[in-house]
């Protein structure tokens, strides 16, 4: 039966690295607090030239090189982001221009930290339907621009970056997927854009990223293992058959708790959040690219990708590499 396979990966990180000690110089925090509560030691922060589109295009170009596909062969670009600098053109259309993807349709999708899974699953649906055979999927966020840098409980968590995969119709690849949303809990994690005064309404100031950390923590440690277990059950597979669980990189304590609830060794949960922080929609493809390029992945390995984020949104994708 035809499905969707990841045939190449790429990623891009801003040049500037900001350590916990650097943050401790500008706010009341410490490396000890941040690393013991989250596992994060440093993050990359974008400068003015490193827009979401620039990072997305670099990750996309590397993924296409890794897959050995040319610009003409890409039929669609799907970008997950919730921090693009402009409302339109979409980041997808900017990547379209930067990479010369003349044959491709392009669009963005917003599902916060679950965004990459949502675009991967959307690409899979397009490929399964027969509409497209080869799609570039990208997760990118520059949340550092949306954060309140005086709120130490959120600003220390996030980093910027982009990750990308080329996916293509194949006999093996995605085994199963699931994606979910619960809008009734939208208030625990929000970011509002400012609005202009119009003839009928007053201008509204924007508000930076706001998060009820403990509520998100509790949601993640219950919902992610439930979602993974249900998908395994649906596909009649067990956690033993999964080589790696590639989870959204928000907090090492969340990842350890998920491993414990699934009764799976924490060694099966690779992490790069110590070096990247929470890069939102970029975190899963960034980690996948690292694993791919370091030779950790072999053809046929079973991977479980799973993420959660604002919305609230969450999901999982079970695939054979
Ligand atoms: N440095 C030092 N102290 C701090 C800092 C900091 N950076 N931040 C908070 N504190 C203090 C608080 O003021 C509080 O002090 P108090 O006890 O005197 O009041 C104390 O540390 C404990 O604060 P808590 O908020 O209770 O700390 P907690 O252990 O819950 O950890 C954290 C906070 C790390 C945010 C945790 O709740 C968490 O990781 N939550 C999940 C976040 C997450 O995964 N978000 C993903 C969102 S993805 C997306 O879609 C954008």
């Amino acid at each position: 039966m035809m499905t969707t396979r990841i045939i190449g990966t790429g990623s891009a990180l801003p040049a500037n690295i900001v350590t916990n000690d650097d943050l401790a110089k500008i706010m009341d925090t410490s490396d000890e607090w941040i690393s013991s509560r989250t596992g994060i030691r440093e993050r990359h922060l974008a400068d003015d030239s490193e827009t979401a589109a620039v990072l997305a295009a670099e990750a996309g170009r590397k993924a296409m090189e890794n897959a050995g596909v040319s610009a003409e062969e890409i039929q669609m670009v799907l970008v997950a982001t919730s921090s693009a600098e402009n409302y339109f053109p979409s980041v997808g259309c900017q990547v379209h221009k930067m990479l010369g993807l003349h044959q491709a349709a392009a669009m963005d999708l917003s599902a916060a930290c679950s965004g990459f899974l949502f675009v991967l699953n959307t690409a899979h649906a397009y490929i399964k339907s027969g509409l497209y055979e080869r799609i570039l999927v990208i997760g990118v966020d520059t949340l550092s621009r949306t954060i309140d840098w005086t709120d130490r409980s959120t600003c220390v968590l996030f980093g910027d970056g982009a990750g990308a995969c080329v996916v293509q119709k194949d006999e093996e690849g995605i085994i199963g997927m699931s994606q979910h949303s619960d809008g009734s809990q939208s208030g625990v994690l929000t970011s509002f854009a400012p609005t202009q005064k119009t003839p009928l309404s007053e201008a509204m100031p924007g508000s930076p990223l706001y998060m009820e950390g403990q509520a998100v923590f509790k949601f993640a440690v219950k919902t992610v293992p439930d979602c993974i277990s249900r998908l395994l059950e649906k596909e009649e597979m067990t956690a033993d058959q999964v080589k790696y669980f590639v989870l959204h990189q928000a907090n090492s304590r969340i990842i350890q708790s998920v491993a414990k609830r699934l009764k799976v060794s924490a060694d099966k949960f690779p992490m790069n959040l110590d070096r990247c922080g929470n890069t939102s929609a970029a975190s899963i493809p960034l980690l996948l690219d690292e694993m791919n390029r370091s030779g950790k992945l072999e053809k046929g390995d079973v991977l479980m990708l799973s993420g959660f984020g604002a919305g609230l949104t969450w999901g999982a994708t079970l695939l054979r590499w």
Side-chain angles (χ1 to χ4, degrees):
M1 205 172 54
M2 278 299 164
T3 183
T4 306
R5 178 174 227 134
I6 295 176
I7 60 164
T9 63
S11 58
L13 287 165
N16 284 319
I17 297 174
V18 176
T19 66
N20 292 345
D21 285 334
D22 292 333
L23 293 181
K25 287 179 198 146
I26 56 170
M27 66 186 75
D28 181 17
T29 190
S30 64
D31 175 50
E32 203 285 324
W33 193 95
I34 303 170
S35 54
S36 65
R37 301 264 175 156
T38 70
I40 297 164
R41 294 191 176 276
E42 58 190 36
R43 72 288 291 143
H44 293 246
L45 298 186
D47 67 19
D48 288 345
S49 68
E50 292 164 320
T51 63
V54 163
L55 294 170
E58 189 184 338
R61 182 180 52 74
K62 288 180 180 162
M64 286 162 57
E65 275 167 18
N66 187 242
V69 302
S70 66
E72 287 71 34
E73 292 174 284
I74 299 293
Q75 298 168 312
M76 185 170 216
V77 190
L78 285 173
V79 178
T81 188
S82 38
S83 53
E85 291 78 11
N86 47 327
Y87 295 122
F88 52 80
S90 64
V91 173
C93 283
Q94 294 177 70
V95 170
H96 185 280
K97 179 182 172 192
M98 290 179 203
L99 299 185
L101 305 176
H102 305 300
Q103 308 299 324
M107 65 177 182
D108 292 0
L109 181 152
S110 164
C113 300
S114 311
F116 180 75
L117 286 181
F118 278 48
V119 284
L120 180 62
N121 291 343
T122 304
H124 178 49
Y126 273 116
I127 288 174
K128 285 286 276 182
S129 75
L131 268 174
Y132 297 114
E133 291 193 4
R134 200 169 301 100
I135 299 178
L136 177 60
V137 287
I138 303 175
V140 61
D141 268 310
T142 48
L143 283 182
S144 66
R145 296 197 176 100
T146 72
I147 285 167
D148 176 357
W149 281 96
T150 64
D151 176 6
R152 64 178 184 169
S153 65
T154 57
C155 71
V156 301
L157 305 175
F158 296 96
D160 302 327
C165 296
V166 177
V167 298
Q168 163 174 297
K169 183 171 147 189
D170 206 325
E171 281 166 15
E172 280 197 318
I174 292 182
I175 299 165
M177 47 164 261
S178 85
Q179 55 192 31
H180 310 272
S181 306
D182 178 2
S184 72
Q185 293 193 66
S186 57
V188 300
L189 194 40
T190 57
S191 171
F192 290 100
T195 64
Q196 304 294 325
K197 180 172 169 42
T198 79
L200 298 177
S201 68
E202 288 305 310
M204 299 276 282
S207 60
L209 190 145
Y210 162 80
M211 181 174 72
E212 289 173 25
Q214 287 183 7
V216 176
F217 195 101
K218 281 182 197 151
F219 151 75
V221 296
K222 180 171 184 331
T223 311
V224 172
D226 283 357
C227 177
I228 289 174
S229 299
R230 288 210 185 101
L231 182 55
L232 284 171
E233 205 179 298
K234 182 169 155 248
E235 300 303 332
E236 297 177 348
M237 292 181 72
T238 64
D240 290 346
Q241 291 171 277
V242 178
K243 182 150 180 204
Y244 293 114
F245 293 80
V246 183
L247 263 53
H248 171 47
Q249 303 286 295
N251 185 319
S252 57
R253 287 191 298 137
I254 293 178
I255 295 174
Q256 281 150 7
S257 168
V258 172
K260 207 167 158 192
R261 284 184 191 225
L262 290 171
K263 300 191 175 61
V264 172
S265 161
D267 297 344
K268 282 184 156 194
F269 290 71
M271 288 190 226
N272 66 359
L273 58 80
D274 54 327
R275 286 167 283 121
C276 299
N278 178 349
T279 54
S280 189
S283 85
I284 291 176
L286 255 168
L287 181 56
L288 257 189
D289 184 47
E290 233 178 62
M291 294 166 72
N292 183 26
R293 285 170 194 266
S294 65
K296 253 187 153 171
L297 301 175
E298 286 170 32
K299 193 165 184 235
D301 283 349
V302 175
L303 307 183
M304 174 68 81
L305 319 183
S306 184
F308 62 92
L312 293 171
T313 52
W314 66 99
T317 307
L318 182 64
L319 60 88
R320 207 174 291 281
W321 190 252

